[in-house]
Amino acid sequence: MSSPSPPGLAPGLPGAAEGARPLTVIRLMGPAFVAAVAYVDPGNVATNITAGARYGYLLVWVVVGASAMAMLVQYLSAKLTIATGRTLPEMCAHRFGRGTRLALWAQAEIVAMATDLAEVVGGAVALHLLFGIPLLPGGLITGLASWLVIVVQSRRGQRPFEAVVAGLLAVVLIGFLYDAFSGGFSAGGVASGMVPRFAGGDSLLLACGIVGATVMPHAIYLHGALVRDRHGDFRGGKRRLLAATRLDVSAAMSTAAVVNLAMLVVGAATLGVRAGDSIEAAHGGLAAALGPLPAMLFALALLASGFAATSVGTYAGAVILEGFVGRTFPLAVRRLLTLVPALAVLALGAEPGEALVLSQVVLSFGIPFALWPLVAFTGRRKVMGELVNGRVTTVCAVVAASVSTLLNAALLWLTVAG
């Protein structure tokens, strides 16, 4: 699949005037909600529920901190493209040598495969919980569903695609919020979970998984393309579009943060260590504690997240390939490139929950390779012009990239030492 070529400025969108009337700004919103789907995928479900079941509210601070980090980096990704007309992969290809460019592309493809693993496995598990479909056929159905959603984008344009994805995101939001409030939760526990701390190496592993599931490398690569494909070349309207992007990202990432927190609350309030910490255990625990409706909504939310997130992941894979390598593949071929490893994991009979959590750890290792170039580019006036980051933004971006890098280094040390 190739990333759709910019359609040009849509009528009534960015124009020569820089005034940003509220209704005009709202009409420019949408791309961030597509990116936000990557932050509420089945990998998030697995890591957040596991964290809640094993450690209660201990890692609430990780969810909140990762969500704040996600809000910043998605904004910077969109800002880079608004300022330069290039996505992050295209900018890396333009600025770096061939060896660096190909190395970044290789790790980005591994990230894309880990992403698809989580989303296809999650969709397969949801279909099994809802309809009893075996995991391997369920993975095939999930892959086909994602392909159909991307067909909407390639044939109907960006707005219908955004509408489909936003509808699936709404299902995820409603399902997990209903379950979180139905199960009850401790406000004091959530407040105490805001104090940064760990409880051994396993909690650090889960923290890295939460960060990897929340700050998604492929979404960082993708966001600029979403903005460009929706709004064209931005001529004459960069300031207005940047203002709309801030609102878009704030609303979308806040929604994703609420969903992620609800996932952890479901694990902490409804499951606990005795009930188990897998997705199947969460479904069974909800059914036993609250009845069939919360369990069904949980499975529907998981299915919607799998369908939507794997569609967005396929889109991101095309942006990664075209940006770093300058090549495109047909939609079906691009879909198969990352689908095959996920189907192989299902065929080999791997435990779905463990596969989901480990996939998020792999994703966390890809974050620095996306973040550090993004921080460097958006902090350079020669690259960004008048849209260059201010000092406070640069400091916050450096802190976010540093925290991610240090978490991964600590996890690697614990793995080797253990």
Side-chain angles (χ1 to χ4, degrees), residues 39-40 44 47-49 51-52 56-71 190 193-198 206-215 253-265 407:
Y39 292 80
V40 294
N44 293 80
T47 51
N48 289 323
I49 283 181
Y57 300 100
L58 177 74
L59 298 179
V60 164
W61 68 275
V62 179
V63 174
V64 173
S67 298
M69 189 188 305
M71 190 176 296
V190 173
M194 290 295 295
V195 179
R197 62 195 188 279
F198 294 108
L206 279 172
C208 286
I210 290 172
V211 173
T214 306
V215 185
M253 294 301 125
S254 295
T255 300
V258 169
V259 175
N260 280 300
L261 192 56
M263 292 172 185
L264 188 143
V265 164
L407 271 176

Side-chain angles (χ1 to χ4, degrees), residues 104-369:
L104 287 172
W105 169 66
Q107 66 82 32
E109 288 291 352
I110 293 172
V111 163
M113 291 179 186
T115 300
D116 223 31
L117 170 63
E119 292 152 359
V120 171
V121 169
V125 170
L127 288 170
H128 178 70
L129 294 175
L130 286 167
F131 308 111
I133 298 173
L135 292 180
L136 184 57
L140 287 169
I141 293 171
T142 302
L144 176 61
S146 69
W147 182 76
L148 292 175
V149 173
I150 288 295
V151 166
V152 171
Q153 192 272 347
S154 62
R155 296 185 178 180
R156 300 290 184 180
Q158 195 74 3
R159 286 180 180 273
F161 173 69
E162 289 175 4
V164 171
V165 172
L168 292 170
L169 178 60
V171 173
V172 178
L173 176 65
I174 293 169
F176 282 109
L177 281 180
Y178 182 89
D179 286 349
F181 281 100
S182 295
F185 63 93
S186 168
V190 173
S192 69
M194 290 295 295
V195 179
R197 62 195 188 279
F198 294 108
D202 184 59
S203 66
L204 177 59
L205 175 67
L206 279 172
C208 286
I210 290 172
V211 173
T214 306
V215 185
M216 299 290 275
H218 74 288
I220 300 172
Y221 293 125
L222 172 64
H223 202 146
L226 291 171
V227 175
R228 187 176 65 188
D229 291 348
R230 163 74 102 84
H231 300 303
D233 57 13
F234 325 127
R235 285 179 296 180
K238 290 184 178 182
R239 287 288 182 185
R240 183 195 300 175
L241 185 54
L242 195 62
T245 296
R246 281 193 290 268
L247 182 60
D248 193 23
V249 170
S250 297
M253 294 301 125
S254 295
T255 300
V258 169
V259 175
N260 280 300
L261 192 56
M263 292 172 185
L264 188 143
V265 164
V266 167
T270 308
L271 299 180
V273 176
R274 292 183 181 178
D277 53 24
S278 68
I279 288 178
E280 293 88 344
H283 182 263
L286 284 168
L290 305 175
L293 179 58
M296 183 188 70
L297 288 175
F298 172 88
L300 284 174
L302 179 65
L303 183 63
S305 73
F307 282 2
T310 194
S311 303
V312 173
T314 302
Y315 193 162
V319 171
I320 288 169
L321 179 64
E322 187 170 355
F324 282 116
V325 184
R327 297 187 62 183
T328 61
F329 283 125
L331 174 63
V333 175
R334 181 66 239 183
R335 172 67 281 190
L336 285 174
L337 284 176
T338 51
L339 180 61
V340 169
L343 295 178
V345 168
L346 291 175
L348 291 172
E351 202 285 312
E354 291 182 3
L356 285 170
V357 173
L358 288 176
S359 73
Q360 303 312 294
V361 175
V362 172
L363 287 176
S364 75
F365 279 99
I367 296 170
F369 296 101

Side-chain angles (χ1 to χ4, degrees), residues 65-74 76 211 215 220 364 367-368 370-372 374-375 392-408:
S67 298
M69 189 188 305
M71 190 176 296
L72 174 62
V73 299
Q74 291 303 137
L76 293 182
V211 173
V215 185
I220 300 172
S364 75
I367 296 170
L371 276 186
W372 285 112
L374 180 64
V375 172
V392 173
T393 302
T394 297
V395 169
C396 290
V398 168
V399 169
S402 300
V403 167
S404 170
T405 304
L406 288 173
L407 271 176
N408 290 316

